[in-house]
Amino acid sequence: MVKIRDIELGEFPLLLAPMEDVSDPPFRALCKKHGADLMYTEFISSEGLIRDAIKSRQKLDIFDYEKPIGIQIFGGDEEAMAMSAKIVDATAPDLLDINFGCPVKKVVSKGAGAGVLKDVDLMVRLTQACIKSTSLPVTVKTRLGWDDSMINIMEVAERLQDIGVEALSIHGRTRSQMYKGEADWSYIAAVKNNPRIKIPIFGNGDIDSPEKAVEYKNRYGVDGIMVGRASIGYPWIFNEIKHFMATGEHLAVPGVKERVEAARDHLMMSVKWKGERLGVVEMKRHYTNYFKGIAHFKEYRTKLVTSFDLQEILDMLSYIEENSEEFVFSNPV
């Protein structure tokens, strides 16, 4: 049984990665429905939280059906991180996660996210500031290092564990790689196999199929796997991985009707949470993924992503559902 303090996650938990502009409550609800064991919010700016920025505050929204769930924050200032940890604590998630892995320039340039990998002493101070300011378990998501010449994940893991971090999720790329190239899980395995390391170690990067999840579980010996981009428009991946691990067999690929149902549920939850205008707009990024692989679907996809009328989109989804037999997958596997 993998545990983070008193949070029981099962024998080999599957985690939903925190993804900016993706891992909001509507998306998380679908991933929870389809088997995610632990989820995180989109990352939240510590500076935004203490300025009472509306977007940052909205990201604190969590719901009982999502539990266990962690709220993730980022920042490069100790005081701001400490104050943010207190705000998160009052929201009562199951844990607080710190992002030391985001590689995008606007985050790194502020000395936050993966930028902190260049200064492990600062990383330790920022983490200590959070730990001292909350009663929640504190976990960290990070990368292997800044670049190939500065892969310092072993030092990071040991020092974070020593100050009280209770789990570590490691993306198998450096900051300089961004999301390019292949994730190198050998470093993640080295951390897991370090006899000094006692906390759960979760691997992240390139998990896009049940076969790869089983292969990486067996090869690298991690305590669980974090799934990110592969879940976008395909929340079924969590239960597919679990079923394959248990039986060695594949679940049936979701058909057109199942994809319409998921897209419609996602849309309506987005509208309910964000309001009709924003819910419709922000849902547009998901349609391509929900209907990926369906032959001759361009016309319908174009209508879904260009319409701003909720009823028109719902009518289009209903049409696709009612005529599902007309749509075939170009690659049915």
Side-chain angles (χ1 to χ4, degrees):
M1 175 67 70
V2 177
K3 296 177 67 176
I4 301 176
R5 196 180 292 178
D6 297 325
I7 307 168
E8 296 185 352
L9 298 175
E11 292 184 4
F12 191 81
L14 302 179
L15 288 64
L16 172 65
M19 294 177 283
E20 176 71 353
D21 293 328
V22 175
S23 301
D24 58 14
F27 179 75
R28 297 197 305 263
L30 286 165
C31 291
K32 185 69 174 182
K33 176 182 178 181
H34 292 287
D37 295 303
L38 173 62
M39 305 187 296
Y40 298 88
T41 63
E42 304 170 76
F43 70 173
I44 305 172
S45 164
S46 58
E47 300 285 352
L49 270 186
I50 62 177
R51 288 199 313 269
D52 203 26
I54 293 174
K55 186 173 182 180
S56 295
R57 288 280 179 167
Q58 188 181 35
K59 290 180 181 179
L60 291 173
D61 286 354
I62 55 175
F63 303 90
D64 286 342
Y65 61 79
E66 299 184 278
K67 290 181 172 291
I69 185 164
I71 290 177
Q72 188 187 75
I73 62 173
F74 74 96
D77 178 81
E78 292 172 57
E79 184 177 358
M81 289 291 277
M83 293 176 66
S84 295
K86 291 179 180 179
I87 294 170
V88 169
D89 194 277
T91 309
D94 297 280
L95 56 85
L96 167 67
D97 191 70
I98 305 173
N99 183 306
F100 291 135
C102 179
V104 300
K105 185 176 180 180
K106 69 178 182 179
V107 173
V108 170
S109 64
K110 296 178 181 178
V116 186
L117 284 164
K118 292 190 290 186
D119 188 345
V120 181
D121 289 339
L122 173 61
M123 181 187 291
V124 169
R125 294 197 303 273
L126 292 169
T127 307
Q128 282 180 316
C130 292
I131 291 172
K132 291 176 181 178
S133 300
T134 181
S135 60
L136 297 167
V138 174
T139 63
V140 164
K141 184 174 189 289
T142 189
R143 288 182 170 234
L144 303 181
W146 178 255
D147 56 27
D148 287 342
S149 67
M150 192 186 293
I151 293 179
N152 52 5
I153 188 59
M154 191 66 76
E155 177 191 358
V156 166
E158 290 183 352
R159 293 186 66 181
L160 292 181
Q161 177 182 262
D162 289 349
I163 62 171
V165 165
E166 299 189 44
L168 186 64
S169 298
I170 305 171
H171 183 98
R173 291 182 174 86
T174 63
R175 187 272 168 176
S176 64
Q177 283 181 272
M178 302 294 284
Y179 296 100
K180 299 176 182 178
E182 186 176 352
D184 188 344
W185 282 52
S186 65
Y187 290 100
I188 305 175
V191 173
K192 174 58 189 172
N193 293 325
N194 180 347
R196 277 205 59 205
I197 298 297
K198 307 300 181 185
I199 60 175
I201 302 296
F202 304 120
N204 174 230
D206 295 347
I207 298 299
D208 57 7
S209 69
E211 291 91 342
K212 186 172 283 188
V214 170
E215 177 191 351
Y216 280 34
K217 172 182 183 289
N218 295 335
R219 184 191 299 180
Y220 299 111
V222 291
D223 294 294
I225 284 174
M226 178 177 280
V227 179
R229 288 173 289 171
S231 66
I232 301 175
Y234 203 85
W236 302 275
I237 192 169
F238 297 99
N239 275 337
E240 287 184 359
I241 291 172
K242 288 181 176 180
H243 186 79
F244 190 75
M245 284 182 174
T247 68
E249 299 177 351
H250 288 279
L251 286 173
V253 174
V256 173
K257 287 187 176 181
E258 291 171 281
R259 293 166 189 258
V260 169
E261 180 183 2
R264 183 191 293 118
D265 288 348
H266 195 162
L267 171 62
M268 296 312 295
M269 285 187 288
S270 293
V271 167
K272 182 178 180 180
W273 184 58
K274 303 173 184 177
E276 183 170 326
R277 177 185 165 279
L278 192 58
V280 166
V281 170
E282 295 197 352
M283 184 62 194
K284 292 180 182 296
R285 65 173 64 97
H286 294 282
Y287 294 122
T288 297
N289 291 296
Y290 275 119
F291 299 107
K292 186 177 181 180
I294 299 177
H296 311 299
F297 197 78
K298 183 177 180 180
E299 173 190 351
Y300 306 96
R301 182 172 59 249
T302 299
K303 290 179 179 178
L304 289 170
V305 300
T306 56
S307 175
F308 290 87
D309 184 87
L310 176 60
Q311 190 57 53
E312 187 175 64
I313 294 170
L314 291 172
D315 290 343
M316 178 57 60
L317 290 172
S318 294
Y319 175 85
I320 297 167
E321 183 177 40
E322 291 164 6
N323 296 275
S324 59
E325 68 281 354
E326 296 180 8
F327 300 96
V328 296
F329 290 93
S330 54
N331 180 8
V333 178

